[in-house]
Structures are given as structure tokens and as C-alpha cells.
Amino acid sequence: MFKTRSFANFCSNYRKLTSQWTCLACVRAKGSVEPKTKTYSHTILFPKTDFPARSNNKTKEEIQKTAQFSQLYNWQREHLSGPEFVLHDGPPYANGDLHMGHAVNKIIKDINNRSQILQGNKVHYIPGWDCHGLPIEFKALQSKTKKNEPSDPVQTRKIARSFALETVERQKDAFRSWGVMADWDDQCYLTLNKKYVQNQLRQFYKMYKSGLIYRALKPVYWSPSSKTALAEAELEYDPQFKSKEVYVKMPMTKIPEPAKHLSEKMSAIIWTTTPWTLVANKAIAYSAHMMYAVVTLSSRPGELFLIAKDQIEELEKVLGADITILVDFEGRHLQGCSYTNNLSTDALPFLEADHVTKGKGTGLVHTAPAHGPDDFLVALKNNMTVECNVDELGQYTNLGPKLDGLQVLAEGQDAVIKMLEHSILQTGTYTHSYPLDWRTKKPVIVRASDQWFIDTSALKEKALAALEKVTILPPTTADQSRQGFRAQLEKRPYWCISRQRAWGVPIPVLYRGSDVILNEEILEKLCSLVDKHDADIWWTCDVQDLIPKDVADKYDLNIEEISKGKDIMDIWLDSGLSWQMLEGKKARLYSEGVDQLTGWFQASLLTSLALKNEAPYESIFVHGFVVDEKKRKMSKSIGNVIDPKTIIHGDKKNQGYGVDTLRWWVASHATQHSQIVISKKLLEDCQNEVIRLRNIIKYLLGVISDLEKPVFTHNPDLNYFDQYMVEESHQFEKQIIDYYNNFRYNQVAQSILFFISNKVSGLYCHCIKDRLYCSKKNSNERLSAQLVLHTILVSICKSLGPVLPHLIEEAWQHHPLCEQPFYFTKEIPVLAPNNIDISVMDAILDIKRGVCATAKNENLKKFKLILRVDSNLYEELNKLNVNDGVNDSVLCEVLELSDVSLEVSDSGKREIMLSQTKRGQCMRCRKYNAIDNSDKCLRCERVLV
């Protein structure tokens, strides 16, 4: 088998950079005896090839055309018969230029797909784009503002559609330039396509009919800057956000029984970081399992206060006062108590709630049902009416002239604090993680509104069970990813799928007052209109166009009383349903960034469970985020954003590294870390490694360039060394395939570099170059070495092909067997592996390390060796120390010595005895085996005859 053993010790003394096209470590350091003549140099069979030592972007563009990258996808679908591998493509947004995250994502997918093809497997890969949503609508609105165009929904949609389609084409061109294999012209899905929209409308209706989709008034994340509801996946968090915090006293109107002997005048203290929600306060929540206390504050003599007993120590620090306990009791005694606040005249209740815990605050939680999910559940449990007095702009409404029209996150909050100034015990600034609108980067609020929801609580147990059967990759971060995925599923009671925007798939619902009208006949009528026109028809048609007359008669519908809904579907529902593009197939793999654990991975799982009761994927691969050398996220404000195009082509400030370097960087660094670092140093290292790979390929192509096509099918006699390298080559290829199948692409890169350095350049090419250069053309000793190196070349090309397809296709064009592109070549004749005992080679290489240590920096060719070994090893080595009087024995060839004499060690210990050979140096092959009265060895004499 292929072993990752370092041979640096024995080959480090012999490595040097040679000419521009010779591989590293393919020649020895200069010999101690200079040749006396160069008469024989023209007789040496040096490697020759037109394969260039360097490439450029123009060459790569030509390679893509001549290698028929665009035809490969359909070719493999028609010609490969292996098991089908379905990789479902998560749709990127069609909202702008591509970034390094896109490069990581698409190249990882392409490496996987190409590795499957090289194994003979048929790949199913249909790229897609998410074409709806706020990011694209913003672009449309900006365009309209510049052109002073009307802001009606149809016009917005027209501009948004045009922008999205233009962006898709630009992104397609970039994906092509990266070498990503797909049928980019005819087999892509767009969420704005008619068929996609029609399918989405039908799936919405199926979930609605099954009761999984419903409409309700609930608090949701709301973006005042975007004027729409947002899902959790559309938020990003500012960990250093600064909120105003207040401690407010609320006078109690009914006190707990254990405190009845005290003064009736006492106040509950609440703490909040959203003072603007105090106008919506409807209750104070407590825990029945916590201890509470009536206390006095040294800073407020004559007043009594109610707080949680466990919070006293913290509150003394915050309020700057000594706190004295008068009486304490269990929280259950707060049942039936009531209070008022200075913004309302009503007596409000104390209500038990599970979300009240120890920690920051007072143990008494301000409850505003319109502005918090926990608060809302408390209200629901206690049959409280939920009313929202904040509009879509984030302004107070229906609260009177003092507050109406004020922004709740700005002057409105200040006004509320001013109105409560006599009730506020303490104000301050609280730094914490707070949600922002992922597009506008402005803070969001929680606001109750009538929205459409998917009942994820009804799917939760199924989702958690299904997740256990899903394989999560890579193994290094699988546990962390699974835990994060589970946590998101467990804490999500519902999924808000409605948005108050124009650019998206309409929620196909009609209303008669507050009553919802939706049935299959209306839905199918809408789908037929979409087919004839497009989804804009929802905004342009009349209600009567959507309701067939027989339906209106059947349900006694008065058209004049009916209106169309104005909401569109959440874009995560758009993309979450994309698994239906697989036409009944189940994806073997989804591969996306870690952020999609709360986004596409989850949306896909929930919709698939809702509609077909199973997960849409067998496995998911989760990759990380690209960061700079300081591990900072790419940000325009920081100025550290790197465009993949710049990496490939360069710009005024930066050199271009080429597409090979970009893809090699992805393979080397993008699959094993949650943070994927990119820097000039890393790119330079990757470029140097690619050049190193290119040089070894150039050398190997030069070695086989004089072979005629029929020769590649020959089976010459192979000595043990040849058989060993053939076996190592095949085992290496198998190991690389295993790495590909387990997404260990960094190990692919490391193993390829190790193999060429230590097995190919550092070992085989060193030891057999005399056979290659100095033997007679087509002789068995030369042909066997050539075909071994060809086998190695093919293994390297297959191993590198998924990562560096441009390089491999370019190399293949200089191969004697090239008739069609490399990937279109099912079978390339190579030498078959042999089941040999590689432990013998391990022993020889161990001996060679000892020889090198003994010879120090001297040229090994000048030495002969007396080697004493135990009897068992003697028998094996003796078989390899036979020569025909002309060519070296295998043992001499590997050890690179003039002569080797074997003896059995009496002690069983290995003994190495080196001495200078008395033979002269052959002026043609430089070996110390010249025959008497000649400047050449016997082999060279015969070759020159």
C-alpha cells in the first residue's frame, strides 16, 4: 500500500533546481569528477516536450474551449454507466458580483463532481439562482430612483427581473472561467422561471391544505429600513450593539399574601433594553420556582420594592444602594397580583412564565405581547388580546399626539423614557448582540403583524429524527455542525414565510374582509395565467380573472367584496423548494457554507418533510467563511474584500495568480477549517506548488514523448523496482480517490505533493535516469522505465484532474495518445499493479539512508558496498542483486552504487562498509563502471554501436 513515509533524509542531499523544465530533485548534485569531454551529450536521450514551463490566462481560456469543458456535463450523462451521483446546487443570489465565498462553494462542488466522473460515475448537477427577494429589489429601487421612474410593483418587478437576469449571465461567465462543469446554456434553474413559480404556488397550496401553512397575528422580526418581515436567516448580529437599558418601578395594586402585613404601597422593579416597548406593556412575568423578596433601598427611603431574591447582590451594584430584605416568599404567591404603570390606567396582571430565569435583570420580566415571542406565548396562554401600535416604518401609531409618528428606535424611545422619568430608578447603556437587517445593516425590531407561517413545531420531531440519518461532512467539524443544526430546529416554533415586498412569488390568497379564500380551482387558474404571461399577472389582473365563474357561483362569492393579497413568499421558501428540480431523485449531497445551517439546509429539510415526509439529501457538506490573514470577515468597510477575478487576472495593485492557483488554494485550505484564510503569502505558496506540479508533469511528458501509440499497450519485463513503483502508483491513486470521496481535499493536495517529491522525483527518477537517458531507444530497460513513468503520469493526472482540470487538459494535449480531451478518455493503457512484497523496498530504502549517512556528501556512484544482513533479508536482496553483465542490478540501481556485495551477518545485525570503487567513470552515463581501456561502460559501448 501507499505509505506516507518521509524520505527527506536520504534525498535532501541530492535535490537542486535544474533547468526551467526539469522537475525538482530529478538529478543529483554535481559529481566530484568533472567530465573530460562533452562528445557524447548528443547521444543522450534527454526528455523532450513542447509542454510550456509556464501558462497564462489566455492559454487557460483556450484550454477550456479545446478541452470542451462546456460539453463534458452532457457527455458524461450519456457515456458513463456508474452509479448516479446527485449533487443539488444551492442557488446563489443574483444580486451582484461574485466573491471568494462563491469561489470556495462552486469549486468544492466541481472538485467533487469531477472526481466522481473519473471514477466512472454519472453526475447530476443542475446549477441554480435565487432571483427574488430584497437584495435584488433594492437594486431595482435604486435604479428607479435614479431614473425617476414610478414605484408601482409591476415596474419594480420589471427592473428587478432585468437586473437579476443580467447578473445571472455575468455570474455564469465567472463560473465557466473557474472551470466549473455544468450545462450552463440549457440546464440551469432560476426561481423566476414560470415552471419554477408554478411549482412553488402548487406546493404552497399543498402545505396550506394540509394545515402546515396558516395565517396569524404574531410577533416577527421586522425591518423598518426594508419595511418587511424577516426570517432568522436574514439577520446578522452586531455583538457590540449598544441599547438603552432602564430599571422601572411599577406600582402594585394587589400585593402577595406573605407581604400583606407590610405597607400596601410597594412597586415591582422591571428591567428592559427596549424601553420603546413599555407603551405595549401588558403584564409582568415571574417564575413560580424562584424566591422573591420585598425590600427597601437605601437610596429610596419610605418605599418598598419587589424583586427576585437571587438578584439582590447584582442590583445593589447597579442601583448603587444597600438592599434590605423585609420578607421573602416563593414565586407562586405572585399569582393574582396586579400593578399599573404610568403609561396606562388599567390594572395589569402578574403571570407565570417559563422563560423567566436567573441572570441579568430583576427576576420580574416586562411583557409586551406585540414585541416578543416569549411575551406573545404568555399572552396566548392567558387569552390576552394582542395589539400592535408600531407601523411598518417603525413608528408609533394610534397612541396619541405625543407619540404618533415617532421612530421607536430613535426619538420615540426618548419620549417614552421622558414620560416615565419619575418611575425610572436607573438608566444606562447595555452592550450586547443585537439583530440587524442583513442588507441595510440597520437594527430590526420585533413587531406583531398578520403574517403567513409554516408550523415548524409540527415538523420538529420529524426534522430531528431525519437529521440523525443525514451524514454531515467534513468529519473535523461534523459534531459542531450537527449541534448547531439541531439547536436551530429545536428553538424554531414557526417560520414566517410572508414578506411585504413586490419582487417575489405572490402568496396566492384572496381575502373577503379577514376571511382567506384559497382553493385548488383558483390556484390552478393562477398557474394557467402565469404560464400565458408571467408571475406579474398577480399584480396586473383583476380579481375576477382569478375566480372562474363556476367557482364564484359554487361558493357564492361577490367579486366586489374580494381583494388580492399583497404579500410575497419568503425567498427561503423559494430556494427551500428547489429540491423539486431533481424530479423525484434524492440528492446524495448538498454542499454550502456554515450559514446555511440556519438557511437553505434547514428550509430544504422542512419543506421536504412537509411534502414528502423525508429529507431531501443523504449528506451535507458544510464549509466555512473566507477571512483575511488577520481572520477578519471580508468587508467592504474594512477594505479586505478580494474578488476571485483579481486573483486570476490581477489588477493595477496585485499580480494575477491564474485559475490553477485559485482552485489549488480552495483544495488546500477550504475544506478543513471553519475560517478559510486567504492571503498573499498563501496564494504565493499555492502558485509555487502549482509550478512544481507543472514541472513534474513536463518532465514526465518529455520522458514518454518519443513513444509510438502502439507501444503504450506493451507489457515489458519489469524488475522489482519497476513493479514497486507501479504498485505504489496504483495505491496512491486509490488513496486519493478515498480522500476525494470523504472531502479531504487538503489531504489530496498534500499527498500529491508528497508522492511526486518522495516517490517520483526523489526516488524513481533519480535511480532510473541512466536507463532513460543512456539506454538504447526501445530497449527493454528504457521502455520499462518509460511505461512505469507513464503509469505514474496517468495516476498523477487522474489525481490532479478534479482540482486542476485546466492544467491536466493542457498537459494531455501534449501526450502522444491525445485524440480527445482527457475527461472524455475512459481508458488509458497503463501497467497493471502487481502484488509484490513492498517490505523489501522498505528495507532497501532504510539501507540507503544508512549508506547516505556514511557517504555524507560524496557522490554515491563512486562507492562500492559490502552489506551484511540477516539471512532472511539476504535471501530477498540477493534476488535483486543479479545483473546481466551489462546493466546494473536492481539493488545497485536503487542504492545508486557502483557495486554491492552481500554477506550474511553472523550477529544478525546490519553492517554497511563503503569503499571507493577502482573502476573508471563512463564519460557518457557518468557511472563508475567503465571497462578497461575505454572511457565508456559496456552498456554505452553497445548503445553507440
Side-chain angles (χ1 to χ4, degrees):
M1 60 178 291
F2 174 63
K3 296 183 179 180
T4 54
R5 175 185 292 109
S6 174
F7 296 99
N9 291 336
F10 78 79
C11 66
S12 60
N13 294 331
Y14 307 102
R15 294 180 181 168
K16 62 174 279 189
L17 286 173
T18 59
S19 62
Q20 65 173 351
W21 72 282
T22 305
C23 66
L24 185 67
C26 282
V27 296
R28 288 276 191 189
K30 185 184 297 182
S32 60
V33 178
E34 293 291 334
K36 300 176 182 178
T37 177
K38 295 185 179 179
T39 305
Y40 304 115
S41 60
H42 68 283
T43 70
I44 303 298
L45 298 172
F46 287 118
K48 295 179 181 180
T49 179
D50 293 330
F51 181 68
R54 295 293 181 100
S55 188
N56 55 53
N57 289 318
K58 185 177 180 180
T59 300
K60 296 302 184 189
E61 291 171 4
E62 291 300 317
I63 291 297
Q64 281 203 179
K65 295 176 184 177
T66 56
Q68 301 176 43
F69 278 11
S70 59
Q71 286 79 40
L72 175 59
Y73 180 79
N74 288 324
W75 177 88
Q76 59 91 24
R77 296 291 298 167
E78 295 173 6
H79 292 84
L80 299 186
S81 57
E84 185 173 48
F85 190 97
V86 181
L87 194 165
H88 183 43
D89 191 36
Y93 277 125
N95 71 318
D97 294 331
L98 299 173
H99 52 68
M100 288 306 299
H102 291 109
V104 167
N105 182 265
K106 279 294 191 286
I107 291 173
I108 283 176
K109 291 174 181 175
D110 190 59
I111 292 173
N112 171 81
N113 288 343
R114 288 177 179 270
S115 70
Q116 292 294 327
I117 289 174
L118 279 180
Q119 295 175 67
N121 299 332
K122 187 181 298 185
V123 170
H124 182 285
Y125 176 70
I126 307 297
W129 274 268
D130 208 337
C131 301
H132 291 134
L134 202 56
I136 297 169
E137 187 169 337
F138 270 169
K139 300 285 186 178
L141 291 172
Q142 291 170 2
S143 174
K144 287 194 306 182
T145 301
K146 293 177 182 178
K147 296 182 180 179
N148 296 316
E149 294 178 358
S151 58
D152 66 277
V154 176
Q155 189 66 12
T156 297
R157 290 176 61 81
K158 178 181 178 181
I159 299 170
R161 181 183 294 104
S162 176
F163 175 83
L165 291 174
E166 290 172 4
T167 302
V168 166
E169 292 307 312
R170 290 202 310 272
Q171 292 186 1
K172 272 187 186 180
D173 289 342
F175 294 149
R176 284 190 182 101
S177 72
W178 301 345
V180 179
M181 177 202 68
D183 183 355
W184 296 107
D185 294 324
D186 298 319
Q187 295 189 67
C188 298
Y189 73 90
L190 309 181
T191 60
L192 58 71
N193 285 346
K194 290 180 183 180
K195 289 186 178 180
Y196 197 100
V197 170
Q198 289 171 312
N199 176 70
Q200 187 169 331
L201 291 169
R202 291 186 174 107
Q203 303 316 313
F204 176 94
Y205 177 71
K206 287 180 182 178
M207 286 187 281
Y208 169 78
K209 190 176 180 181
S210 68
L212 288 171
I213 288 182
Y214 62 95
R215 189 170 188 258
L217 176 70
K218 286 188 179 182
V220 296
Y221 287 112
W222 185 275
S223 171
S225 54
S226 298
K227 298 186 287 296
T228 186
L230 297 178
E232 177 73 36
E234 296 170 301
L235 305 175
E236 62 181 43
Y237 286 81
D238 179 359
Q240 298 299 315
F241 190 85
K242 292 178 172 54
S243 295
K244 288 184 179 180
E245 65 174 357
V246 293
Y247 289 82
V248 185
K249 65 176 183 177
M250 303 283 195
M252 296 184 68
T253 56
K254 186 175 180 180
I255 63 176
E257 188 66 31
K260 283 292 179 77
H261 64 285
L262 302 174
S263 170
E264 292 285 333
K265 294 183 179 180
M266 69 176 62
S267 299
I269 302 176
I270 63 94
W271 166 76
T272 182
T273 59
T274 55
W276 62 271
T277 66
L278 288 169
V279 298
N281 175 263
K282 298 298 180 185
I284 290 178
Y286 67 90
S287 170
H289 307 292
M290 289 172 61
M291 292 297 292
Y292 289 85
V294 177
V295 302
T296 60
L297 303 181
S298 61
S299 60
R300 295 268 182 167
E303 296 185 69
L304 301 180
F305 299 96
L306 177 67
I307 57 175
K309 188 176 180 180
D310 287 335
Q311 301 302 118
I312 288 177
E313 185 177 346
E314 180 194 347
L315 287 172
E316 283 184 323
K317 298 176 183 177
V318 172
L319 300 178
D322 294 328
I323 297 178
T324 302
I325 297 176
L326 301 181
V327 63
D328 60 8
F329 49 87
E330 293 179 348
R332 60 185 176 83
H333 290 290
L334 291 175
Q335 183 177 3
C337 293
S338 60
Y339 71 99
T340 63
N341 67 56
N342 289 345
L343 297 176
S344 171
T345 58
D346 299 332
L348 302 171
F350 280 75
L351 298 174
E352 182 185 349
D354 294 335
H355 69 275
V356 180
T357 57
K358 300 175 184 179
K360 181 71 175 175
T362 69
L364 296 169
V365 178
H366 149 61
T367 301
H371 302 295
D374 291 326
D375 307 44
F376 177 79
L377 293 175
V378 170
L380 205 63
K381 181 179 178 181
N382 293 277
N383 298 315
M384 297 174 65
T385 301
V386 178
E387 181 182 2
C388 183
N389 294 112
V390 178
D391 66 16
E392 64 179 17
L393 297 175
Q395 299 173 348
Y396 288 124
T397 184
N398 299 324
L399 290 175
K402 289 185 178 180
L403 292 175
D404 284 357
L406 300 182
Q407 286 286 336
V408 300
L409 292 178
E411 67 274 12
Q413 180 158 265
D414 295 336
V416 171
I417 293 174
K418 178 68 176 175
M419 294 167 69
L420 288 170
E421 60 181 338
H422 297 300
S423 299
I424 294 177
L425 303 179
Q426 182 72 30
T427 62
T429 299
Y430 184 62
T431 302
H432 61 139
S433 181
Y434 191 87
L436 308 179
D437 183 324
W438 68 332
R439 290 301 166 185
T440 65
K441 310 301 180 185
K442 294 183 179 180
V444 303
I445 60 176
V446 175
R447 169 182 178 264
S449 60
D450 286 308
Q451 302 290 342
W452 287 89
F453 300 91
I454 290 180
D455 185 5
T456 52
S457 62
L459 299 168
K460 183 184 301 183
E461 293 306 318
K462 285 184 181 179
L464 292 172
L467 182 60
E468 290 304 308
K469 299 177 182 178
V470 174
T471 301
I472 299 183
L473 299 163
T476 51
T477 57
D479 290 342
Q480 182 181 348
S481 296
R482 189 178 297 278
Q483 290 171 8
F485 203 157
R486 284 187 62 89
Q488 289 296 323
L489 290 171
E490 287 172 343
K491 75 178 186 180
R492 188 176 191 176
Y494 48 79
W495 170 9
C496 178
I497 59 168
S498 50
R499 298 292 181 270
Q500 290 65 53
R501 305 299 305 186
W503 181 231
V505 178
I507 291 183
V509 173
L510 303 175
Y511 297 95
R512 180 168 55 189
S514 60
D515 294 335
V516 171
I517 301 174
L518 177 60
N519 60 34
E520 190 168 3
E521 294 98 325
I522 294 174
L523 191 283
E524 287 303 322
K525 178 65 174 178
L526 174 58
C527 287
S528 67
L529 290 172
V530 169
D531 190 51
K532 292 178 182 177
H533 308 280
D534 54 41
D536 290 355
I537 195 68
W538 180 260
W539 284 266
T540 59
C541 72
D542 295 327
V543 171
Q544 62 186 12
D545 297 327
L546 295 167
I547 305 178
K549 186 177 183 306
D550 59 333
V551 174
D553 294 342
K554 179 179 178 181
Y555 296 102
D556 192 23
L557 300 178
N558 183 350
I559 301 299
E560 300 299 323
E561 298 176 350
I562 298 173
S563 62
K564 292 180 291 183
K566 297 180 180 179
D567 295 341
I568 62 169
M569 297 188 207
D570 175 19
I571 49 177
W572 292 109
L573 184 56
D574 287 22
S575 60
L577 287 166
S578 65
W579 51 267
Q580 293 227 327
M581 295 298 99
L582 299 178
E583 299 176 344
K585 298 173 182 177
K586 186 171 184 176
R588 283 277 302 279
L589 179 71
Y590 275 35
S591 176
E592 301 298 329
V594 65
D595 56 323
Q596 298 308 318
L597 291 173
T598 59
W600 191 58
F601 288 143
Q602 190 175 150
S604 300
L605 177 62
L606 293 173
T607 56
S608 183
L609 288 171
L611 291 164
K612 65 174 186 176
N613 206 34
E614 67 173 1
Y617 39 69
E618 295 178 9
S619 59
I620 61 174
F621 179 87
V622 186
H623 64 74
F625 285 121
V626 180
V627 295
D628 65 15
E629 66 272 16
K630 297 179 181 178
K631 296 194 174 180
R632 299 175 300 178
K633 184 179 178 181
M634 296 290 171
S635 169
K636 290 182 180 178
S637 59
I638 298 176
N640 64 346
V641 175
I642 301 176
D643 187 336
K645 188 175 181 180
T646 302
I647 290 180
I648 296 173
H649 299 282
D651 57 22
K652 293 180 180 179
K653 296 181 180 179
N654 302 286
Q655 73 171 80
Y657 295 95
V659 68
D660 286 340
T661 299
L662 174 64
R663 291 183 64 109
W664 188 253
W665 169 79
V666 171
S668 300
H669 301 282
T671 59
Q672 69 271 34
H673 303 297
S674 58
Q675 291 183 315
I676 308 168
V677 177
I678 188 167
S679 66
K680 183 177 181 181
K681 174 67 167 56
L682 281 179
L683 289 171
E684 288 175 347
D685 289 345
C686 288
Q687 185 179 48
N688 290 335
E689 289 172 351
V690 170
I691 291 172
R692 189 173 163 197
L693 294 168
R694 190 177 184 89
N695 281 337
I696 186 63
I697 290 173
K698 179 179 176 67
Y699 175 79
L700 295 175
L701 286 171
V703 166
I704 65 169
S705 62
D706 62 357
L707 293 178
E708 300 294 332
K709 290 182 180 180
V711 176
F712 286 95
T713 60
H714 287 188
N715 290 301
D717 293 332
L718 300 182
N719 64 33
Y720 174 80
F721 193 16
D722 295 335
Q723 294 177 53
Y724 169 79
M725 284 308 302
V726 170
E727 180 69 21
E728 288 289 277
S729 179
H730 284 284
Q731 291 300 327
F732 158 74
E733 189 178 327
K734 289 179 181 178
Q735 183 69 72
I736 294 297
I737 290 296
D738 182 63
Y739 288 152
Y740 276 129
N741 289 339
N742 288 281
F743 289 87
R744 295 159 70 178
Y745 297 163
N746 61 311
Q747 289 182 284
V748 168
Q750 293 167 8
S751 295
I752 291 174
L753 291 171
F754 179 88
F755 181 66
I756 66 168
S757 294
N758 293 288
K759 293 290 179 141
V760 183
S761 301
L763 178 61
Y764 193 68
C765 291
H766 268 322
C767 299
I768 55 89
K769 63 179 180 293
D770 293 323
R771 271 202 274 159
L772 285 172
Y773 302 167
C774 303
S775 298
K776 184 176 293 186
K777 189 175 181 180
N778 293 330
S779 64
N780 184 80
E781 58 267 25
R782 182 170 190 267
L783 180 59
S784 62
Q786 283 180 297
L787 292 182
V788 169
L789 286 176
H790 176 251
T791 299
I792 292 171
L793 173 62
V794 172
S795 290
I796 291 174
C797 287
K798 286 184 176 181
S799 301
L800 273 176
V803 179
L804 301 179
H806 299 82
L807 171 60
I808 298 309
E809 291 291 357
E810 183 182 2
W812 182 243
Q813 291 178 6
H814 293 81
H815 193 288
L817 293 178
C818 179
E819 294 179 350
Q820 55 185 345
F822 182 75
Y823 273 91
F824 293 75
T825 306
K826 288 185 180 180
E827 300 294 337
I828 302 173
V830 294
L831 298 175
N834 297 277
N835 294 320
I836 61 168
D837 182 3
I838 66 171
S839 65
V840 177
M841 181 60 72
D842 291 340
I844 294 173
L845 294 177
D846 191 40
I847 292 168
K848 188 166 186 176
R849 281 190 286 273
V851 170
C852 289
T854 304
K856 298 182 179 179
N857 293 325
E858 290 293 318
N859 182 1
L860 292 183
K861 293 179 180 179
K862 297 192 303 179
F863 292 98
K864 62 181 180 178
L865 170 66
I866 297 176
L867 178 64
R868 291 175 182 163
V869 294
D870 64 63
S871 58
N872 291 332
L873 185 56
Y874 174 86
E875 293 297 329
E876 297 296 333
L877 296 184
N878 200 41
K879 299 173 187 176
L880 303 179
N881 199 33
V882 177
N883 63 58
D884 58 4
V886 177
N887 299 293
D888 287 339
S889 70
V890 172
L891 190 59
C892 282
E893 188 174 61
V894 178
L895 296 178
E896 299 180 85
L897 296 168
S898 174
D899 182 65
V900 176
S901 296
L902 291 172
E903 299 177 3
V904 176
S905 171
D906 294 334
S907 64
K909 294 183 179 179
R910 181 189 306 162
E911 296 180 54
I912 293 174
M913 291 166 282
L914 281 182
S915 60
Q916 293 268 355
T917 182
K918 295 181 180 180
R919 296 178 183 175
Q921 186 180 33
C922 173
M923 290 297 103
R924 182 171 181 269
C925 69
R926 306 290 190 255
K927 297 180 74 173
Y928 285 80
N929 54 3
I931 57 179
D932 293 340
N933 301 317
S934 175
D935 61 354
K936 296 181 292 299
C937 64
L938 182 59
R939 180 179 61 181
C940 288
E941 287 276 9
R942 293 184 178 184
V943 167
L944 295 177
V945 172

